[in-house]
Amino acid sequence: MTQYAKDYSVGELMCVTLAREIDDGDVVVLGSFTPLAYASYILAKITHAPNSTLLAYAAVDFKPFQLSFIRAESSATRGAACIWTMLEDLNSVHLKGRGDVEAISSIQADGYGNINLSAVGEYDSPKLRGPGGAGAPEVIKMHRKMIGYFPNHSKMTFVPKVDVITGTRYVIGAEERIKAGYRPGPIRYITNLAVISKEEKDKPFKIDSLHSGVSAEQVVENTGFELEVPKDIPETEKPTKEQVRLLREEVDPYGTMAFDFKPGKERLGYLNEILQKELEAIGYA
Amino acid sequence: MPTESKVAKLSDISKIIKDGDTVAIGGSWLGSHPMAVIREIIRQKIKNLTAITVVGSIDVDLLIGAGCLSRLMFSFVSMEAFGLAPNFRRAIEKEGLPYDEITGLAVIIGLEAGGRNVPFLPYRGPFGSDLVKFRPEFYKEIKCPFTGEDLIAAAAIVPDVAIIHATRADNTGNVQIDGTSGTDVEMMRAAKKRIVSVEEIVSPEEIRRNPAKTKIPGFQVDMVIEAPLGAHPCSCAPDYVFDPWHIMKYMQAAMSPETFQQYIDEYVMKPEFEYLEAIGGMKQAAILRRLAREVKFL
């Protein structure tokens, strides 16, 4: 019988939920360094999805590694089966439609499958200029699933309509996707409150599951677009004891994943703590 | 085989990079940006550049803060976990820096079109994105002449100069990259002139011992500069990691234009060997190299 953990953080729950989106045999792309997503993929690879192929930086099919704030790139590179340029990567995976999961996050997201990483406010005179989408505008359309993770489920993030559409899923329904040359798959957002997903263009996002202790009302209140609220919503599957142990002891002993959940003011101090631990681990005091 | 040496000093970059040029900058995220050449651009006060980056970070932010850019093309500029890029934000939010925000794949495919000497390349691009609407000079919705399928054409990008940082090269410009190459190869193929800085210049014989590692042959390179630790404070995988301590210092300095000017004076406006001393010299280099080696597989 599966033994579920009693003591886990919301970050660990989100991480495990994202890991469960990886099927064995998937081709998984790691974009910008986001500790939570990296931890998820590596956890999946060492548990239920050993045949998944992970790509990060120039590294293809790299060996799973222990997360570190500074060493993700050298770890992926040193454990790679193949080193590609970005063009080889996107010719082979993205454009060919071979990507399964490349989780994204976004400053804003709406109920249509649009994301905004560009600007809050007017595009030409923004209140906040975002980093830009890198490959996100394209991968959310091309890969089998569009998976997003949001550590702060709120009306600031989940808005009625994004200020700027940096990218969009564009073709959503299974039939439409196949016709347009893409593999069918859902839009699914994993947040600190719930899991919501959308599989049809003309239907709203639906609450798939609620995290322990969270009510449907709470999710609706914190979402700026329409949600379908089924009568009986299951609780999000908890992390197992083994998953939590692996995350804490093997995958992320330095606690890089918690970084995304720290308030802006505490981040620098937390980062310094991690760096200190990393130095000590290699014999520098 | 060619014998003419392309080895030059950092100060020679102004023979290739001129005021007003469009410069494609290699590297990606916090990795392998040609930072020694970027610092030299600032030292030599080369101005009015249009920078092209796919996934930029401190490279672009530093050039913006030093006032070297009059335009920017990018898909992403961020200091990753350290936060949003401060000078980039300030320039766009407050100072009206003109920019072209292009989706990541479109920049890469545009560079590839430039390298193939065709005006565009089609792909199943980001339909529905506002960026397609905002920048019709880089995107056109077209129909496949064979099947009638809707496609997006990404316009060719042909930079005046490409600058990249690599692991090693010989004196005729055969370049080997052991780690992350990003879009370096595509930028070098597309550009009219090409500068590579390398950790180490090695003999032609050494290159030929491992030809599969050569990503860019010498005929696609115009200038080779030896710049050990030349990507600092970025990484050059798998040899050294990025320097989080220096990047934190940078982030602090970039909070205001005044403190940023102090950073420029203290770190950039001095010869490169003094920069390397200022960031902690051999001792710091040893830590960054050691961190890159000590990885743990599960």
Side-chain angles (χ1 to χ4, degrees), chain A:
Chain A
M1 203 182 109
T2 313
Q3 293 211 319
Y4 287 108
K6 288 197 179 73
D7 166 40
Y8 57 87
S9 68
V10 69
E12 286 165 341
L13 173 62
M14 285 179 68
C15 178
V16 164
T17 307
L18 175 53
R20 286 179 175 139
E21 287 296 327
I22 313 289
D23 299 325
D24 199 18
D26 274 1
V27 174
V28 181
V29 185
L30 294 75
S32 302
F33 179 66
T34 45
L36 186 134
Y38 272 54
S40 295
Y41 306 141
I42 291 170
L43 179 66
K45 176 86 183 171
I46 62 171
T47 54
H48 65 273
N51 296 300
S52 55
T53 300
L54 306 185
L55 293 88
Y57 301 96
V60 182
D61 194 18
F62 61 83
K63 292 194 277 188
F65 57 82
Q66 185 168 84
L67 267 189
S68 132
F69 189 77
I70 334 173
R71 285 171 281 173
E73 186 191 15
S74 59
S75 304
T77 306
R78 286 175 186 271
C82 163
I83 296 280
W84 267 345
T85 69
M86 273 190 191
L87 186 72
E88 286 171 311
D89 199 341
L90 68 94
N91 277 344
S92 317
V93 176
H94 303 66
L95 297 171
K96 185 67 179 166
R98 276 298 282 115
D100 290 286
V101 174
E102 181 170 358
I104 58 100
S105 200
S106 184
I107 299 170
Q108 293 178 331
D110 64 24
Y112 307 100
N114 299 326
I115 58 167
N116 175 14
L117 283 153
S118 298
V120 176
E122 293 291 317
Y123 186 67
D124 291 320
S125 53
K127 280 198 280 253
L128 171 77
R129 172 61 234 187
E138 283 121 340
V139 307
I140 60 173
K141 177 167 167 276
M142 291 168 174
H143 292 347
R144 179 165 66 90
K145 295 177 175 179
M146 172 178 172
I147 305 291
Y149 66 97
F150 296 88
N152 182 19
H153 190 139
S154 76
K155 282 187 169 169
M156 291 271 284
T157 307
F158 289 137
V159 294
K161 174 95 172 56
V162 295
D163 293 347
V164 178
I165 304 174
T166 308
T168 181
R169 180 70 161 168
Y170 195 63
V171 270
I172 298 174
E175 242 173 77
E176 260 187 295
R177 286 191 65 78
I178 293 164
K179 211 173 127 199
Y182 303 107
R183 288 187 292 156
I187 306 175
R188 184 162 293 138
Y189 294 160
I190 297 161
T191 80
N192 57 322
L193 300 180
V195 179
I196 62 174
S197 59
K198 180 180 172 86
E199 304 202 38
E200 297 294 335
K201 184 168 179 263
D202 300 321
K203 287 191 186 156
F205 273 85
K206 179 177 86 126
I207 303 178
D208 291 337
S209 67
L210 295 162
H211 300 345
S212 175
V214 177
S215 69
E217 292 71 39
Q218 207 179 332
V219 173
V220 171
E221 267 169 35
N222 284 290
T223 306
F225 51 79
E226 188 192 348
L227 285 176
E228 184 189 329
V229 184
K231 225 174 177 180
D232 294 307
I233 307 171
E235 186 184 301
T236 309
E237 188 179 353
K238 289 186 168 74
T240 66
K241 280 186 176 164
E242 180 62 1
Q243 284 170 323
V244 172
R245 187 193 69 79
L246 285 170
L247 279 179
R248 291 180 190 175
E249 292 175 17
E250 301 289 333
V251 178
D252 189 28
Y254 298 110
T256 59
M257 217 173 72
F259 186 78
D260 282 338
F261 295 86
K262 299 279 173 197
K265 271 187 284 181
E266 290 171 28
R267 284 191 169 189
L268 206 60
Y270 188 68
L271 186 54
N272 267 313
E273 268 175 51
I274 297 178
L275 293 174
Q276 196 52 41
K277 281 192 246 171
E278 290 203 33
L279 277 184
E280 281 163 16
I282 63 159
Y284 284 89

Side-chain angles (χ1 to χ4, degrees), chain B residues 78-266:
Chain B
S78 166
M79 302 296 290
E80 297 221 82
F82 299 94
L84 295 170
N87 288 305
F88 163 78
R89 269 192 72 183
R90 196 156 44 232
I92 290 180
E93 291 171 15
K94 302 217 165 71
E95 293 155 18
L97 175 72
Y99 63 92
D100 300 299
E101 180 183 7
I102 310 295
T103 52
L105 270 61
V107 185
I108 302 170
I109 292 168
L111 287 166
E112 177 64 8
R116 288 191 194 184
N117 200 21
V118 292
F120 74 89
L121 280 171
Y123 76 124
R124 289 178 173 158
F127 287 100
S129 164
D130 282 340
L131 305 184
V132 172
K133 203 167 64 189
F134 293 155
R135 290 294 180 268
E137 58 276 43
F138 294 103
Y139 296 101
K140 289 275 183 281
E141 297 189 10
I142 59 167
K143 288 227 179 283
C144 169
F146 300 103
T147 65
E149 187 189 345
D150 291 324
L151 294 166
I152 284 185
I157 299 169
V158 182
D160 293 313
V161 186
I163 54 175
I164 67 163
H165 185 75
T167 312
R168 69 184 76 78
D170 64 17
N171 63 351
T172 65
N174 293 301
V175 178
Q176 297 190 335
I177 303 173
D178 287 355
T180 314
S181 55
T183 50
D184 295 359
V185 175
E186 291 75 43
M187 284 176 169
M188 295 293 264
R189 265 205 300 263
K192 294 174 194 161
K193 291 273 183 181
R194 295 137 305 195
I195 299 174
V196 57
S197 60
V198 290
E199 289 297 315
E200 190 187 9
I201 292 177
V202 299
S203 68
E205 290 70 34
E206 186 168 337
I207 294 289
R208 281 168 173 73
R209 269 200 288 275
N210 235 326
K213 276 197 171 173
T214 306
K215 303 284 182 215
I216 303 157
F219 75 89
Q220 291 179 331
V221 173
D222 298 287
M223 185 180 276
V224 182
I225 298 164
E226 191 167 57
L229 222 66
H232 186 277
C234 298
S235 61
C236 187
D239 295 333
Y240 53 90
V241 297
F242 63 79
D243 185 338
W245 299 279
H246 187 80
I247 294 171
M248 284 192 273
K249 217 176 266 178
Y250 177 93
M251 291 298 285
Q252 198 63 35
M255 300 266 275
S256 81
E258 294 72 33
T259 50
F260 190 69
Q261 188 54 51
Q262 287 167 16
Y263 174 89
I264 298 262
D265 294 339
E266 194 179 333

